[in-house]
Amino acid sequence: MAIKHAALHALIEPVVAAMGFELWGIDHLSQGKHSRLVIYIERDSGISVEDCADVSRQISAVLDVEDPIAGEYRLEVSSPGMARPLYTLDQYARFQGHHIALKLRVPFDGRRKFQGLLAGVEGDEVLLQFEGEEYCFPIESIDQAHIVPQFD
């Protein structure tokens, strides 16, 4: 699966960058014989519905030619939003001090889901503070993570 994700990233990232956006992340979700390909784009000035439609048309053209996904799938292009998913160490570092929820690939201390304060990044590990303790999770052990918006 990692090879497929890397191939998708290699196809999509240059298209997104050429259009003036940052490729925030890619989720390929299998749903029976159908699947969903979700592309998250980012830009400092924000993302509009028109931006998503423009990027979707460009990516769709590339995917039609390259055909990297077998079977039918639905393409979605979106802003990562307030509860944005986190994919890279750089993204975790950028959101240090925010609350996050993460799910591990395998249980740690009998649990897979954790929520707490993102304390930072150290090497290839994400530092998370919860329940009065600080834990280090290697990024490769994290299945998924996202920002938990705080409204004060």
Side-chain angles (χ1 to χ4, degrees):
M1 190 65 161
I3 294 170
K4 185 177 215 173
H5 188 272
L8 284 170
H9 195 278
L11 280 174
I12 294 168
E13 198 278 331
V15 175
V16 172
M19 296 181 73
F21 301 98
E22 174 188 357
L23 176 59
W24 186 261
I26 299 171
D27 284 332
H28 182 220
L29 311 163
S30 292
Q31 299 170 326
K33 71 179 202 179
H34 301 284
S35 62
R36 236 175 54 185
L37 180 62
V38 183
I39 312 295
Y40 295 104
I41 59 172
E42 179 71 308
R43 180 172 56 189
D44 289 341
S45 60
I47 301 296
S48 69
V49 173
E50 292 81 18
D51 294 334
C52 292
D54 292 343
V55 170
S56 178
R57 280 189 288 278
Q58 293 297 318
I59 291 173
S60 184
V62 169
L63 295 177
D64 285 347
V65 170
E66 298 294 330
D67 201 23
I69 300 173
E72 296 179 30
Y73 64 93
R74 185 175 67 229
L75 174 63
E76 298 176 17
V77 177
S78 175
S79 160
M82 290 175 48
R84 66 184 54 228
L86 300 171
Y87 299 95
T88 67
L89 286 169
D90 178 58
Q91 291 171 352
Y92 284 98
R94 285 165 62 179
F95 284 89
Q96 180 175 338
H98 287 77
H99 287 269
I100 66 168
L102 60 81
K103 181 178 164 187
L104 300 175
R105 295 184 196 283
V106 295
F108 174 78
D109 275 351
R111 59 193 274 194
R112 291 181 60 203
K113 294 181 181 181
F114 296 86
Q115 186 169 323
L117 184 70
L118 178 55
V121 171
E122 197 171 281
D124 66 347
E125 296 184 324
V126 174
L127 308 177
L128 184 70
Q129 293 177 348
F130 67 95
E131 298 175 357
E133 302 283 332
E134 184 169 284
Y135 293 86
C136 299
F137 296 112
I139 192 159
E140 65 271 0
S141 72
I142 300 172
D143 185 38
Q144 55 185 274
H146 65 88
I147 300 293
V148 177
Q150 302 292 302
F151 301 101
D152 297 325

Coordinates of all heavy atoms in Angstrom, one line a residue, residues 16 19-24 40-52 54-55 78-80 84 94:
V16 N -0.5 19.7 -8.5 CA -1.0 20.6 -7.4 C 0.0 21.8 -7.2 O -0.4 22.9 -7.2 CB -1.2 19.8 -6.1 CG1 -1.5 20.8 -4.9 CG2 -2.3 18.8 -6.2
M19 N -0.1 24.4 -9.9 CA -1.3 25.3 -9.8 C -1.2 26.3 -8.6 O -2.1 27.0 -8.4 CB -2.6 24.4 -9.7 CG -2.8 23.6 -11.0 SD -4.3 22.6 -10.8 CE -5.5 23.9 -11.0
G20 N -0.1 26.2 -7.9 CA 0.1 27.2 -6.8 C -0.4 26.7 -5.4 O -0.6 27.6 -4.5
F21 N -0.6 25.4 -5.3 CA -1.1 24.9 -4.0 C -0.1 24.0 -3.4 O 0.8 23.5 -4.1 CB -2.4 24.1 -4.2 CG -3.5 25.0 -4.8 CD1 -3.8 24.9 -6.2 CD2 -4.3 25.8 -4.0 CE1 -4.8 25.7 -6.7 CE2 -5.3 26.6 -4.6 CZ -5.5 26.5 -5.9
E22 N -0.3 23.7 -2.1 CA 0.5 22.7 -1.4 C -0.3 21.4 -1.3 O -1.5 21.5 -1.0 CB 0.8 23.1 0.0 CG 1.5 22.1 0.9 CD 1.7 22.5 2.3 OE1 1.3 23.6 2.7 OE2 2.1 21.7 3.1
L23 N 0.2 20.3 -1.7 CA -0.5 19.0 -1.5 C -0.3 18.6 0.0 O 0.7 18.3 0.5 CB 0.2 17.9 -2.4 CG -0.4 16.5 -2.2 CD1 -1.9 16.5 -2.5 CD2 0.3 15.5 -3.1
W24 N -1.5 18.8 0.7 CA -1.4 18.5 2.1 C -1.4 17.0 2.4 O -0.7 16.5 3.3 CB -2.7 19.1 2.8 CG -2.6 19.0 4.3 CD1 -3.2 18.1 5.1 CD2 -1.8 19.8 5.2 NE1 -2.9 18.3 6.4 CE2 -2.1 19.3 6.5 CE3 -1.0 20.9 5.0 CZ2 -1.5 19.9 7.6 CZ3 -0.4 21.5 6.1 CH2 -0.6 21.0 7.4
Y40 N -6.2 16.5 -0.4 CA -6.3 17.7 0.4 C -5.2 18.7 -0.1 O -4.0 18.4 -0.3 CB -6.0 17.4 1.8 CG -7.0 16.5 2.5 CD1 -6.7 15.1 2.7 CD2 -8.3 17.0 2.8 CE1 -7.7 14.3 3.3 CE2 -9.2 16.1 3.4 CZ -8.9 14.8 3.6 OH -9.8 14.0 4.2
I41 N -5.7 19.9 -0.4 CA -4.8 21.0 -0.9 C -4.9 22.1 0.1 O -5.8 22.3 0.7 CB -5.2 21.4 -2.4 CG1 -6.6 21.9 -2.4 CG2 -5.0 20.3 -3.4 CD1 -7.0 22.6 -3.7
E42 N -3.8 22.9 0.1 CA -3.6 24.0 1.0 C -3.0 25.1 0.4 O -2.2 25.0 -0.6 CB -2.8 23.5 2.2 CG -2.6 24.5 3.3 CD -3.8 24.9 4.1 OE1 -4.8 25.2 3.5 OE2 -3.7 24.8 5.3
R43 N -3.3 26.3 0.8 CA -2.6 27.6 0.4 C -2.8 28.6 1.5 O -3.9 28.6 2.1 CB -3.2 28.0 -0.9 CG -2.6 29.3 -1.4 CD -3.1 29.7 -2.8 NE -4.5 29.8 -2.9 CZ -5.2 29.9 -4.0 NH1 -4.6 30.0 -5.2 NH2 -6.5 30.0 -4.0
D44 N -1.8 29.4 1.7 CA -1.9 30.4 2.8 C -3.1 31.3 2.7 O -3.7 31.7 3.7 CB -0.6 31.3 2.8 CG 0.6 30.6 3.3 OD1 0.4 29.5 4.0 OD2 1.7 31.0 3.0
S45 N -3.5 31.6 1.5 CA -4.7 32.5 1.3 C -6.0 31.8 1.4 O -7.1 32.4 1.3 CB -4.6 33.3 0.0 OG -4.6 32.4 -1.1
G46 N -6.0 30.5 1.6 CA -7.2 29.7 1.8 C -7.6 29.0 0.5 O -7.0 29.2 -0.6
I47 N -8.6 28.2 0.6 CA -9.0 27.3 -0.6 C -10.5 27.6 -0.8 O -11.3 27.6 0.1 CB -8.8 25.8 -0.2 CG1 -7.4 25.5 0.1 CG2 -9.4 24.9 -1.4 CD1 -6.4 25.7 -1.1
S48 N -10.8 27.8 -2.1 CA -12.2 28.0 -2.4 C -12.8 26.8 -3.1 O -12.0 25.9 -3.5 CB -12.4 29.2 -3.4 OG -11.8 28.9 -4.7
V49 N -14.1 26.8 -3.3 CA -14.7 25.7 -4.0 C -14.2 25.6 -5.5 O -14.0 24.6 -6.0 CB -16.3 25.8 -4.0 CG1 -16.9 24.8 -4.9 CG2 -16.8 25.7 -2.6
E50 N -14.0 26.8 -6.1 CA -13.5 26.9 -7.4 C -12.1 26.3 -7.5 O -11.7 25.6 -8.5 CB -13.5 28.3 -8.0 CG -14.9 28.9 -8.2 CD -15.5 29.4 -6.9 OE1 -14.8 29.7 -5.9 OE2 -16.8 29.6 -6.9
D51 N -11.3 26.6 -6.5 CA -9.9 26.0 -6.4 C -10.0 24.5 -6.5 O -9.3 23.8 -7.2 CB -9.2 26.4 -5.2 CG -8.8 27.9 -5.1 OD1 -8.7 28.5 -6.2 OD2 -8.7 28.4 -4.0
C52 N -10.9 23.9 -5.6 CA -11.0 22.5 -5.6 C -11.5 21.9 -6.9 O -11.0 20.9 -7.4 CB -12.0 22.1 -4.5 SG -11.4 22.4 -2.8
D54 N -11.0 23.3 -9.9 CA -9.9 23.4 -10.9 C -8.9 22.3 -10.7 O -8.4 21.7 -11.7 CB -9.2 24.8 -10.8 CG -10.1 25.9 -11.2 OD1 -11.2 25.7 -11.9 OD2 -9.8 27.1 -10.9
V55 N -8.5 22.1 -9.5 CA -7.5 21.1 -9.2 C -8.0 19.7 -9.5 O -7.3 18.8 -10.1 CB -7.0 21.1 -7.7 CG1 -6.2 19.9 -7.3 CG2 -6.2 22.4 -7.5
S78 N -10.3 18.7 -1.6 CA -10.8 19.4 -0.5 C -9.7 20.2 0.2 O -8.5 19.8 0.1 CB -11.5 18.4 0.5 OG -11.9 19.1 1.6
S79 N -10.1 21.2 1.0 CA -9.2 21.8 2.0 C -9.1 20.8 3.1 O -10.0 20.1 3.4 CB -9.8 23.1 2.4 OG -9.3 23.5 3.7
P80 N -8.0 20.8 3.8 CA -7.9 19.9 5.0 C -8.8 20.4 6.1 O -9.1 19.6 7.0 CB -6.4 20.0 5.4 CG -5.8 21.0 4.6 CD -6.7 21.4 3.5
R84 N -8.0 19.1 10.4 CA -7.1 18.6 9.3 C -6.4 17.3 9.7 O -5.9 17.2 10.8 CB -6.2 19.7 8.9 CG -5.1 20.1 9.8 CD -4.3 21.2 9.3 NE -5.1 22.3 8.9 CZ -4.9 22.9 7.7 NH1 -3.9 22.6 6.9 NH2 -5.7 23.9 7.3
R94 N 4.5 21.8 12.6 CA 3.8 23.0 12.3 C 2.6 23.2 13.3 O 2.2 24.3 13.6 CB 3.3 23.1 10.9 CG 4.3 23.3 9.9 CD 4.0 23.0 8.4 NE 2.9 23.8 7.9 CZ 2.5 23.6 6.6 NH1 3.1 22.8 5.8 NH2 1.5 24.3 6.2

